[in-house]
Amino acid sequence: MRYVHARGYPVPRVVSVSGADLTLEKVDGPTMQDALMADLGLIGEHAAVLAELHHRLHALEAPDWLPRRGQGDRVLHLDLHPRNVIVGPAGPVVIDWANAAAGSGVLDPALMIAIALTAKANAEPMERRHIDSFIRSFASHFDAAELRGAMPEAVALRAADANVTEKERAELLGSEWPIPEA
Ligand SMILES: Nc1ncnc2c1ncn2[C@@H]1O[C@H](COP(=O)(O)OP(=O)(O)O)[C@@H](O)[C@H]1O
Ligand SMILES: [Mg+2]
């Protein structure tokens, strides 16, 4: 978090570190998820903000102490979805950096899509449509061929996550990707 903060990326300031405990600056505001639920008319705007957070992050070269995830030398967050963005008074900030790694930038948006697809398993029909609409809007900010190319790895990564339930895994593996054809 300090590495990206020093390079102008919006994260809460790290106040102190003690073992596995972090004390962070408190950022007031809803998560992007809560902001979306409060006003579904803003799906396109929030999706654009999230896509920009991805693009800005992947402009940063990774330090050599980050774990590697395949080819590439970009900083990856690998959990950069609407629950890990706080819409703060000075703009959006990104939290929850436990999975940060070095790799190819496109893996991050592909994984955000895989995470959103698993979330559909627990959603009502209306909400499922909103999730697809958010994914489509988010995906439109990336090169479609690159994004599709990264989806198999992202789906495999997500499917292997120990926190994903059988129902969510089935949803993920059975889903069409609501992203444009290349
Ligand atoms: N710096 C912060 N300022 C305000 N709230 C925060 C901050 N960091 C985390 N939170 C709150 O805690 C919740 C969980 O934090 P997060 O780091 O995403 O952990 P996890 O997803 O593993 O539970 C967030 O959704 C947010 O509501
Ligand atoms: Mg989180």
Side-chain angles (χ1 to χ4, degrees), residues 6 29 33 37-38 48 52 78 99-100 109 116 121 127 129 131 146 151 154 157 160 162 177 182:
Q33 174 73 23
M37 299 306 276
E52 202 201 335
L78 298 182
N99 295 344
E127 201 196 334
R129 280 200 288 281
I131 293 172
E146 261 193 84
M151 282 305 295
L157 249 181
W177 306 329

Side-chain angles (χ1 to χ4, degrees), residues 78-157:
L78 298 182
D79 209 15
L80 188 36
H81 53 73
R83 290 184 200 278
N84 284 332
V85 176
I86 301 177
V87 184
V93 300
V94 176
I95 59 172
D96 207 356
W97 290 79
N99 295 344
S104 165
V106 70
L107 182 59
D108 237 345
L111 188 57
M112 150 46 222
I113 292 169
I115 291 167
L117 290 172
T118 42
K120 284 173 69 179
N122 312 307
E124 300 294 324
M126 259 311 266
E127 201 196 334
R128 293 172 61 86
R129 280 200 288 281
H130 293 314
I131 293 172
D132 279 340
S133 152
F134 185 83
I135 295 173
R136 260 194 300 278
S137 188
F138 174 77
S140 73
H141 298 278
F142 299 88
D143 181 274
E146 261 193 84
L147 198 51
R148 283 196 167 270
M151 282 305 295
E153 185 183 355
V155 167
L157 249 181

Side-chain angles (χ1 to χ4, degrees), residues 165-176:
T165 66
E166 270 316 313
K167 187 178 173 204
E168 289 170 335
R169 192 169 292 114
E171 177 78 38
L172 171 65
L173 297 175
S175 284
E176 302 254 346

